[in-house]
Amino acid sequence: VTSMAFADFDNDGDRDLVVGTKTGVASGELMFFDFVSKIEGARFLWQRIHYVSPAGQHRAPFEHWTDAATDLQAAVDVAYPGDTVVVADGTYSSAAQIVVTQAITIVSVNGAGSTILDGGGTHRVMVIETNAVLDGFTITNGFVAAHGGGIYAAGGARIQNCLITGNSTDSGPYYGGGLFLTDTGVVQDCVIRGNWASDQGGGLWIGYNSTLRNSLICRNTGLNGGGMFCYLNVLVENCTV
């Protein structure tokens, strides 16, 4: 054990006992006790890191760079709530949309300029169905006959430090060419540029208590709201549209 602290690690309103451990010269792990209630006591959870790299050997559960997954979906599939997926530089294409259903963090090593998720013009890039975090990616060439050409995000998803560009919906009517965000989601420090939707929100459709902050929305096209379309209790802070 290298460190201990109390913090609300999982954002559930209860203090958690966070414990850092050192398991080797080049590796470390983080775990915490989740205090669910006074009656239930503590639940022991491991917080793991999974790696993705074009140079990886693709050996699950992908917990070292040499064993890294070569596609993002494989690393997402082995992650548990609270885990982190770290993605090396490269362009990642997949045969189908990436689906995230656990409350995990997906983060690139060197940011959106170096880490690209490409839909190939045949499918949506990503679906986020929970309060996961996506940090530091370019999302491009997504296409879908539904809402959210690049990303469909619900359930409290957080998308930050991303470039969302060159995505589109089919003729629909569909919403959110670049991104469809609903159900208390947050987009911050992003650029949403050059996307197309057949109806509402060429760049971004945002609704149902979601937040957009510190972002640039530009050069998007849509029938209603070329840049963005807001619906029901949306907060927009410090943005250029």
Side-chain angles (χ1 to χ4, degrees):
V1 175
T2 59
S3 61
M4 298 178 66
F6 281 99
D8 185 10
F9 189 81
D10 53 352
N11 297 314
D12 65 353
D14 297 318
R15 292 201 310 164
D16 307 312
L17 175 59
V18 184
V19 180
T21 69
K22 190 72 172 177
T23 60
V25 174
S27 66
E29 292 180 345
L30 183 67
M31 55 186 172
F32 72 91
F33 292 97
D34 183 9
F35 290 95
V36 180
S37 71
K38 292 180 180 179
I39 297 175
E40 294 177 338
R43 182 172 68 246
F44 182 72
L45 300 172
W46 289 98
Q47 305 302 305
R48 302 183 301 169
I49 298 176
H50 311 275
Y51 297 94
V52 180
S53 170
Q57 296 299 308
H58 201 79
R59 291 191 289 256
F62 319 118
E63 293 185 340
H64 303 277
W65 279 118
T66 54
D67 297 333
T70 53
D71 69 271
L72 179 54
Q73 185 69 70
V76 167
D77 287 345
V78 300
Y80 287 93
D83 285 1
T84 298
V85 176
V86 180
V87 184
D89 296 357
T91 298
Y92 298 87
S93 301
S94 60
Q97 65 186 8
I98 299 163
V99 179
V100 182
T101 59
Q102 304 277 14
I104 62 175
T105 296
I106 304 171
V107 60
S108 68
V109 174
N110 289 310
S114 301
T115 321
I116 300 166
L117 304 182
D118 192 329
T122 61
H123 54 81
R124 180 193 288 125
V125 177
M126 181 174 287
V127 174
I128 304 175
E129 298 177 342
T130 186
N131 57 330
V133 177
L134 182 71
D135 187 346
F137 293 88
T138 292
I139 307 296
T140 192
N141 288 329
F143 173 80
V144 69
H147 301 325
I151 301 175
Y152 182 99
R158 178 180 294 269
I159 300 166
Q160 57 195 35
N161 303 309
C162 288
L163 169 63
I164 301 173
T165 185
N167 305 282
S168 60
T169 69
D170 204 348
S171 55
Y174 298 119
Y175 308 159
L179 168 64
F180 185 95
L181 181 73
T182 187
D183 299 335
T184 69
V186 176
V187 172
Q188 63 183 30
D189 302 308
C190 289
V191 175
I192 302 175
R193 180 181 67 213
N195 303 281
W196 185 90
S198 58
D199 200 332
Q200 298 174 0
L204 165 68
W205 189 99
I206 180 171
Y208 295 101
N209 304 298
S210 295
T211 299
L212 173 70
R213 62 168 61 98
N214 302 331
S215 295
L216 171 65
I217 316 295
C218 65
R219 300 204 296 268
N220 302 283
T221 304
L223 180 63
N224 295 298
M228 62 184 294
F229 190 96
C230 301
Y231 185 77
L232 284 180
N233 300 323
V234 170
L235 175 63
V236 179
E237 296 180 322
N238 194 32
C239 294
T240 298
V241 182

